[in-house]
Amino acid sequence: MSANLSTLQELPTDLDRSRLPQQVAVIMDGNGRWAKSRGIPRIMGHRRGVDTLKDLLRCCRDWGIPALTAYAFSTENWGRPEEEVEFLMTLFERVLRRERAEMMRENVQIRFVGNLKVLPQSLQDEIAQSLHETRDNRGTQFIVATNYGGRQDIMQACRAIADEVKQGLYSTDEIDEKLFERHLYTAGITHPDLLIRTSGEMRLSNFLLWQLAYAEIYVTQTLWPDFDREAFHQALRAYQQRDRRFGKVEGESSG
Ligand code: IPE
Ligand code: IPE
Ligand code: MG
């Protein structure tokens, strides 16, 4: 652990507690580059990335941010070498099993978004167990995007809605944004206020396309395994300097 992890236990004094994002989403990118720069296998980067995520989740709790969404595996990541995909699936499974007691102690409620049905059965079992055990926890909400694709999310919602129309549950002119959102994987979860992407890439890579419509985007060159509390502090500082207009005129009330 770096010194920052232990020194930034409290919300830094230059941040305004009343204007913290209610949900932060992270595209955890750069594990491979982190490993490459050290001349070690990519999978070592993924392993280190887990420690970063664990501390960020704890940091959200310490600083009073109620929800964190992490992009763990995209629908496009199946295109990676088989060994890497297999390693990631096994890693997710092991981490879920290993961290369950800790999540209970820290009152974390876990949720998953994405097409889980095609994941290895043993991983699906760990996911089900984690959902079950943490379902009544009311501390930090931790949303893990696994086999998630924004396009796939929107498409599966369309299919479900079309089915319900066909069943006669409602008519097409009753379809509005609220109804649509109830069919997304993220049903019931607030939209992210802040999106952080590590490693410098300026793209969404098919993450939460609908849900990020008005998120503030923060990109840092820092590689994911190096993204510590101080780096998060800087992201929150940048967020608090933004003027969120939501299409309105500066200074106007957003209500
Ligand atoms: C992100 O790091 C982790 C996953 C996509 C699972 P990468 O593996 O994409 O790292 P880079 O982008 O190759 O450095
Ligand atoms: C996005 O990172 C997906 C995750 C972090 C899980 P990628 O590394 O897969 O994205 P691209 O390929 O750079 O767009
Ligand atoms: Mg990448």
Side-chain angles (χ1 to χ4, degrees), residues 65-107:
I65 293 166
L68 175 70
T69 300
Y71 203 6
F73 194 87
S74 75
T75 48
E76 288 71 35
N77 288 149
W78 294 107
R80 295 189 175 205
E82 206 179 309
E83 317 83 71
E84 182 170 342
V85 171
E86 249 170 49
F87 176 86
L88 285 168
M89 294 299 148
T90 311
L91 180 70
F92 297 154
E93 196 179 316
R94 280 208 322 260
V95 169
L96 279 178
R97 192 176 317 128
R98 193 180 70 203
E99 300 300 324
R100 212 140 48 216
E102 187 77 14
M103 287 195 288
M104 292 310 290
R105 261 198 305 280
E106 301 197 355
N107 202 19

Side-chain angles (χ1 to χ4, degrees), residues 47-211:
R47 204 176 271 159
R48 267 299 280 269
V50 173
D51 298 333
T52 300
L53 181 58
K54 272 172 58 181
D55 192 59
L56 183 62
L57 181 63
R58 221 171 263 139
C59 187
C60 285
R61 182 207 54 190
D62 292 348
W63 293 0
I65 293 166
L68 175 70
T69 300
Y71 203 6
F73 194 87
S74 75
T75 48
E76 288 71 35
N77 288 149
W78 294 107
R80 295 189 175 205
E82 206 179 309
E83 317 83 71
E84 182 170 342
V85 171
E86 249 170 49
F87 176 86
L88 285 168
M89 294 299 148
T90 311
L91 180 70
F92 297 154
E93 196 179 316
R94 280 208 322 260
V95 169
L96 279 178
R97 192 176 317 128
R98 193 180 70 203
E99 300 300 324
R100 212 140 48 216
E102 187 77 14
M103 287 195 288
M104 292 310 290
R105 261 198 305 280
E106 301 197 355
N107 202 19
V108 170
Q109 186 190 58
I110 201 165
R111 271 194 63 170
F112 292 86
V113 294
N115 179 8
L116 307 177
K117 293 188 201 92
V118 299
L119 296 173
Q121 188 54 50
S122 50
L123 175 55
Q124 288 189 52
D125 293 345
E126 288 301 332
I127 287 175
Q129 189 62 29
S130 305
L131 285 171
H132 178 74
E133 284 187 29
T134 67
R135 70 192 183 286
D136 296 324
N137 290 350
R138 290 291 175 268
T140 317
Q141 200 177 26
F142 178 38
I143 302 124
V144 187
T146 315
N147 191 21
Y148 181 86
R151 289 176 179 167
Q152 196 265 335
D153 192 1
I154 291 169
M155 211 175 58
Q156 64 80 32
C158 289
R159 265 199 214 115
I161 291 169
D163 263 350
E164 289 175 5
V165 169
K166 208 160 70 186
Q167 289 170 47
L169 296 178
Y170 45 85
S171 65
T172 48
D173 42 86
E174 286 173 87
I175 301 171
D176 59 10
E177 289 188 12
K178 275 209 163 63
L179 182 141
F180 192 78
E181 293 200 347
R182 283 203 299 275
H183 291 80
L184 290 169
Y185 287 128
T186 50
I189 302 171
T190 55
H191 294 166
D193 293 306
L194 169 64
L195 169 72
I196 298 172
R197 182 164 186 151
T198 55
S199 308
E201 243 74 66
M202 307 260 188
R203 54 179 173 252
L204 293 179
S205 300
N206 204 12
F207 197 29
L208 303 171
L209 298 179
W210 169 286
Q211 298 86 341

